[in-house]
Each structure stands twice: as structure tokens, then as C-alpha cells.
Amino acid sequence: MKESRSYSSVRRTKNWVKNGIRSPYNIMVAAAVAALACLVIVPLIEMVVTTFKLAARDVRRVEGAQAGDWSLYYWKKLLCSEVSQNMLYKPLMHSLLIATAVSVLSIGLGGAIAWLMVRSDLPFKKFFSLAMIVPYMIPSWCKSMAWIAVFKTARIGGTQGFLSYLGLEPPDWLAYGPIAIICVLTIHYYAYAYLLISASFRSINSELEEMGEILGAGKLLMLRKITFPLVMPAIASSFILIFSKAMGTFGVPAFLGLKTGYYTISTMLYTSIKQQQTAMAFSISLILIGIAAVIIFINQQVIGTRKSYATIGGKGGRSNVLSLNKWKPMVVGLLFLFLGFCVFLPIGILVLQSLMLKLGDYSPSNFSLHYWVGLGKPDIFYGEPGVFRNPQFLQVLGNSLKLVVVASLVATVFGQLIGYVTSRGRQLKSGKLVEQLVFIPYLIPSIAFGAMYLSMFSVERAVTFAGLKVTFFPVLYGSFLLLVLVTVVKNLPFSSRAGSANMMQINVELEEAAQIENAGFITRFRRIVFPLSKGGFMSGFMLIFMAVMKELDLLVILISPNTQTLPYMAYSYMSGGMEQFSNVVAIIMFVVVFVIYWIANKFFNADITQGF
């Protein structure tokens, strides 16, 4: 009897193991965990270890030490030395000030526009819905170039800006420094808040507000007691997204801060990397990661562990709009004014400057297409030809298109698969583990993430076992594959978020019904999941496509002469003082992104708001 029970227990265990191994969900979880461990955890551990190991160049600074010894030298130098104030604390305070101000202003602006677009009878909604996401298509550092063109003065900028030409001399603190950085980043990041909060507003059943109105609640009370608590998760998510991005952004602080010696944590990080102070740069990166983790923890405590709210009931899902009444003309006018100043004016300034032979001279004779299609002239930037006549332009354009297509496609496919795992395993520890792992790249600033991959793939990492050499991390520096790899991994948090949102809309009962009919996992995925998720797939693809097309911070230290992209080409022109050439490249980037998104939206119903 005991032997029979023992045999039954062993048999049950074997069946449990066999079913676990054969389960498609478990296979996907194991593959996702293994891949994320190799591509995220291992490089992160490598980053931490590097900060505690003494580099050969610093051996002479530590008495009796040798290269590779464990040491607290870098952390002591960063946290409590004579250079700590200028290297860490002052740039960190600058970054915290900028990130906090940008987050609050962006959420206020984006939230107000989201409410108008979703909950009011605002006219021209189709036009506004497209116009409001145009800032997402334009790199933030392009807006900084437009800002400089308007507000710079001859005292710092070398040439006069548009306001100076008109006789209006703006103060230097408006052209460069924290105010300029906050304004430009707010104009850029409000689009993120708008996308997130508008998606939350659409999910709220207006019957909830109608019930409050029936009970005698005023509009402000309903906003405070009903609407605001329901969109609080979206507001908190917007704060985390914008705060983290503002803390780690490089382009805008570099353009608007370095000329006046205003360093942020990201520009100091870039300077450390360029000076080959890798361990110091990684130490700064870990501090940034720690700050991001603290912000996320606070978010968890504020809105609670429950992130989903049942706002759609079985009896109705109406979304009635509030009439603006007499305020409608003024609101429409303010929106057009906002779009004119924050969207169309920067684009117009970039176009205008790309046609000016000499900056600061707005006379008709100074306008030309030289920087677009002109032949090289010795008296204009050392004979540099127009962008379309530059022999490297087609190669750079090809590199950019190849990178964004390949990286976006790979990231979207893996994002949909990871989204499937996290959506189907929301109540399981395995699903939560994958969700936490895939979120880690988001915590690491882009420029630090690029440096981390540079460290991992600049030398071969292999082991020899039984005379056989096994390479775990090959040398990829300077290759196109490294750009694809780092871009895919860095964007996995966004693609998986889009994939999860997509898969959440597909009821699991459809798969269960097919499973009853003995349909295998691949058949179910091919015949049910994929056809129902095609719209979300295209939306997720466009979300990543736009992010990769304008990416500079992540790739700036990984790009080689043969793998240059359009953002890097524009940055190189700008760094060399060739602003008009840089403007031309920025305009080309915007046109490519806008046209492709319009085609995807028109013919494939792609909508990037579905990715949020």
C-alpha cells in the first residue's frame, strides 16, 4: 500500500514536471528570463563591479594598489572629495530641479489638453489629435536648436538671434541655463503626459460622473473625488516617465547648458565617459538608477499596489462630453496659439535657418538652398557641400532606416511576446518576475546604458572548457549588430508595455475555447492572438520607430564612422558649429518620421496612443 502511494506520488511529480516543461507559457517565461538575465542583469552587474575595481590608469593614486584590486577609490572620490561638489552634488541638484519642474509642468499641460480632447466638445479634434503628438516626433535637442535661434545673443551665441535682430535683446538667462532647459523639455515631454493621461480618460465611463452629478456634486468636487483618483495611476506613471527621462537626457542640457558652464548629471556623465573615466561614469549612473528606483517606490506607496481599476461595467460604457459653452472660442484660440509657439514655430525656425547663408542676417539676399543642395565653396565652412550632395548622406540615411526598421521590428515582436507573458501571468510570480526584469533598462540613463554595452562588447568574454573555447560576449564594437542589440534592449520596456496593453484586450476565453478544440499553442497564436493584435502591433512598431529614429543619447558613444545615423550626423554638424547643416538633417528626420507615421495611421490604423 505504501509502495503504491509512493509510486503514485512519483508519478504525479513526473507528470507535473513533464507538463511544466511542455507548457508554452513556461517555455516563454524561461526564455525571457534567460535572455533578460544575459542582456540586462549581467551588464548591470558588470557596471557595479567596475566601480569597485581599480583601473590601471588610477593605480598611482592609491598607495600599494595594483590594477584590478577591489577598492572604494571611485566612490570616495565621487562622494567625499574635493571634486565631489562640482562632479556630483551641483550637477545632481541641477538635474533634480530640472526634472521636477519639467515633470510638474508637463503633467499639468498634458493633462489639461488630454481632458479637453477626451472629455469636452472641443472642435477640430482630428486635427488636434495629430498636431499634439508632433513634438513626440521631433527630437528634444532639435527644439533646443530652435530655442537658441530665437533667444541667443551675440554675447554668448556668437551671432544674434531672431529677437536680437528685431532689436529686442533677451537676457542671457533666457537663452541658456535652467530656465531655457526647463522650457524646452516641457514643450517636448508634455506629449508623453498627454498620451498617457488621455488613454486613461478614455477608459473612464462617464456614468460615474453622471451619478455624482445626480447626487448634487459640483464639477470641481467630481473632478477631485471621481475623475482625479481614476487617472491617478496615469498621472503617477507620467511623472515617473518624464522625471526619469529628464534626469537622463543629454542633448538639451548639452546645447543649452554647457556654453555657460551649467552642468547636469547627464552632461557630467558624458564628460566622464569622454575622458575615459569609466568607473566614475558608472558610479554616477548607479546613483541615477537609485534615484529612479526611489521614485518608483514612492509611486507604489502613493497609488497602492493595485494598478488596474474597473471603470467599464457590463451595462454601459458611455463617454459623454462636457460642453465648453462660451469658453469654446477662447480654448480653441489658446490651443492654436500653443501649437503655433510650441510645434510649428520650432519647425519653421529650423527651416528658416537651414536657408540662411549666415546666421543672424535675415535679409532676402542671405537666403539660399546651399546647405541643402549646394556645391562646396571654400568660403563657406571649408568647402562642405550641401547635405544632399554629401557623399556620406545616403549611407547615413540608409544606416538610420535600416536600424529603425530592424530594431523596431525585433523590439516589437519580442515586446508582444513578453506582453503576452506578463498579461497572461499577471497573478503569477513568473509573470511579475519577467515584468520587473524587462523594466530595468528603463531605470538606466540612455548614455549610461550605451556605456554599459560598450564595456561588455568591446572585449571578448569567453571561457575554455575541456579544451573548447566558448564565447559568451563577442567583440561587437563598431558593428551594426551592437547598435541593433542595445536599441532593442533599451526599448523593451516600451515595446513590452505596448504588447501588454495589446494582449490585455484579447480575452483569454478565446484561447481556452480553441484549446478545448485541441488547437495547439502555435495554431492558437497564429489564428487568434496575432490577427486580433495586428492593430496594436503596428502601433507598438510606430512607437519604437519614432523613438529609435531620433535616438542620440543611447548611441552617441557606440557609433563608428561606418555606422553613423542621422541624429549623430546632425549632432556632429552642430558640434562643429555648422548649425545650418544640422538643421537640414533635423528637418529630414522629422519629415521621414511624420510621413511614415501618416502612412501607418492612414492605411494600417496605427495609433501610438495604444502603446500607452
Side-chain angles (χ1 to χ4, degrees), residues 341-384:
F341 180 77
C342 298
V343 178
F344 301 119
L345 182 61
I347 297 173
I349 291 172
L350 293 177
V351 174
L352 185 68
Q353 283 211 317
S354 71
L355 300 174
M356 297 171 62
L357 288 174
K358 294 181 180 180
L359 295 177
D361 183 359
Y362 293 87
S363 60
S365 60
N366 189 48
F367 289 91
S368 168
L369 289 173
H370 172 78
Y371 298 107
W372 289 81
V373 294
L375 296 172
K377 295 182 180 181
D379 59 332
I380 301 178
F381 292 119
Y382 313 104
E384 182 76 16

Side-chain angles (χ1 to χ4, degrees), residues 424-578:
R424 297 300 185 260
R426 295 181 70 196
Q427 307 301 324
L428 302 176
K429 291 183 178 180
S430 57
K432 294 178 181 178
L433 173 63
V434 173
E435 188 175 17
Q436 294 297 324
L437 286 175
V438 80
F439 191 72
I440 293 176
Y442 176 73
L443 298 177
I444 306 175
S446 293
I447 192 169
F449 200 81
M452 186 171 71
Y453 266 61
L454 175 63
S455 174
M456 284 298 299
F457 293 98
S458 57
V459 294
E460 184 181 63
R461 300 175 187 274
V463 296
T464 302
F465 180 76
L468 181 65
K469 182 180 179 181
V470 180
T471 301
F472 290 100
F473 296 97
V475 177
L476 295 179
Y477 177 67
S479 68
F480 178 76
L481 180 59
L482 179 58
L483 300 186
V484 173
L485 184 63
V486 71
T487 302
V488 168
V489 177
K490 180 59 179 173
N491 284 283
L492 272 180
F494 298 99
S495 62
S496 63
R497 176 70 181 85
S500 178
N502 194 19
M503 295 300 171
M504 289 283 288
Q505 298 177 22
I506 303 175
N507 198 319
V508 69
E509 293 177 356
L510 299 173
E511 294 181 78
E512 292 173 350
Q515 193 172 8
I516 292 174
E517 296 296 324
N518 295 322
F521 174 77
I522 296 178
T523 301
R524 299 197 304 270
F525 207 89
R526 180 171 57 88
R527 301 292 296 273
I528 298 174
V529 177
F530 182 73
L532 292 175
S533 64
K534 282 192 293 187
F537 182 90
M538 282 301 301
S539 300
F541 177 87
M542 286 309 306
L543 185 71
I544 304 303
F545 184 95
M546 291 183 187
V548 176
M549 189 68 187
K550 60 188 182 181
E551 184 61 70
L552 175 65
D553 301 356
L554 179 66
L555 306 177
V556 67
I557 63 173
L558 297 175
I559 288 176
S560 66
N562 293 326
T563 58
Q564 292 186 45
T565 59
L566 287 176
Y568 187 83
M569 187 180 192
Y571 177 72
S572 299
Y573 275 136
M574 192 68 179
S575 300
M578 305 179 185

Side-chain angles (χ1 to χ4, degrees), residues 10 25 172 310 327 339 406 495 505 524 528 571:
V10 171
Y25 173 82
D172 292 337
W327 299 102
L339 289 174
V406 174
S495 62
Q505 298 177 22
R524 299 197 304 270
I528 298 174
Y571 177 72

Side-chain angles (χ1 to χ4, degrees), residues 236-475:
S237 298
S238 300
F239 184 87
I240 292 173
L241 175 64
I242 297 170
F243 186 91
S244 299
K245 282 189 168 292
M247 283 290 292
T249 189
F250 165 74
V252 175
F255 284 130
L256 299 178
L258 292 184
K259 279 194 175 183
T260 57
Y262 189 85
Y263 279 86
T264 63
I265 201 74
S266 60
T267 52
M268 183 56 67
L269 176 60
Y270 177 77
T271 301
S272 299
I273 292 172
K274 281 300 182 181
Q275 293 176 350
Q276 297 183 350
Q277 299 181 17
T278 306
M280 294 296 292
F282 283 174
S283 300
I284 295 172
S285 301
L286 292 174
I287 291 174
L288 279 176
I289 295 171
I291 292 172
V294 170
I295 295 297
I296 291 172
F297 174 78
I298 294 174
N299 166 60
Q300 297 277 353
Q301 299 302 310
V302 169
I303 68 173
T305 56
R306 185 169 180 258
K307 295 296 184 69
S308 58
Y309 295 85
T311 59
I312 302 177
K315 288 189 176 182
R318 293 183 299 166
S319 182
N320 295 335
V321 296
L322 179 69
S323 176
L324 296 175
N325 297 322
K326 62 180 181 180
W327 299 102
K328 186 180 297 183
M330 187 183 73
V331 170
V332 172
L334 288 175
L335 284 179
F336 273 113
L337 184 65
F338 170 78
L339 289 174
F341 180 77
C342 298
V343 178
F344 301 119
L345 182 61
I347 297 173
I349 291 172
L350 293 177
V351 174
L352 185 68
Q353 283 211 317
S354 71
L355 300 174
M356 297 171 62
L357 288 174
K358 294 181 180 180
L359 295 177
D361 183 359
Y362 293 87
S363 60
S365 60
N366 189 48
F367 289 91
S368 168
L369 289 173
H370 172 78
Y371 298 107
W372 289 81
V373 294
L375 296 172
K377 295 182 180 181
D379 59 332
I380 301 178
F381 292 119
Y382 313 104
E384 182 76 16
V387 171
F388 283 106
R389 289 187 180 273
N390 189 328
Q392 291 185 332
F393 172 71
L394 289 180
Q395 179 187 355
V396 172
L397 178 63
N399 288 343
S400 292
L401 293 177
K402 184 168 62 172
L403 175 64
V404 296
V405 171
V406 174
S408 301
L409 186 61
V410 174
T412 305
V413 170
F414 279 97
Q416 296 291 315
L417 294 175
I418 293 174
Y420 180 87
V421 170
T422 56
S423 64
R424 297 300 185 260
R426 295 181 70 196
Q427 307 301 324
L428 302 176
K429 291 183 178 180
S430 57
K432 294 178 181 178
L433 173 63
V434 173
E435 188 175 17
Q436 294 297 324
L437 286 175
V438 80
F439 191 72
I440 293 176
Y442 176 73
L443 298 177
I444 306 175
S446 293
I447 192 169
F449 200 81
M452 186 171 71
Y453 266 61
L454 175 63
S455 174
M456 284 298 299
F457 293 98
S458 57
V459 294
E460 184 181 63
R461 300 175 187 274
V463 296
T464 302
F465 180 76
L468 181 65
K469 182 180 179 181
V470 180
T471 301
F472 290 100
F473 296 97
V475 177

Side-chain angles (χ1 to χ4, degrees), residues 5 33 58 114 138 169-170 193-194 209 220 271 338 341 348 365 382 396 465 518 533 579 582 586 601:
R5 290 179 179 176
V33 170
D58 296 315
I138 307 174
E169 198 70 15
Y194 163 71
E209 295 168 312
L220 289 178
T271 301
F338 170 78
F341 180 77
S365 60
Y382 313 104
V396 172
F465 180 76
N518 295 322
S533 64
E579 293 184 34
S582 183
N601 180 263

Side-chain angles (χ1 to χ4, degrees), residues 594-612:
F594 185 84
V595 169
I596 292 180
Y597 178 71
W598 181 83
I599 293 173
N601 180 263
K602 184 76 172 177
F603 299 102
F604 300 99
N605 296 320
D607 182 4
I608 63 172
T609 60
Q610 294 183 23
F612 289 85

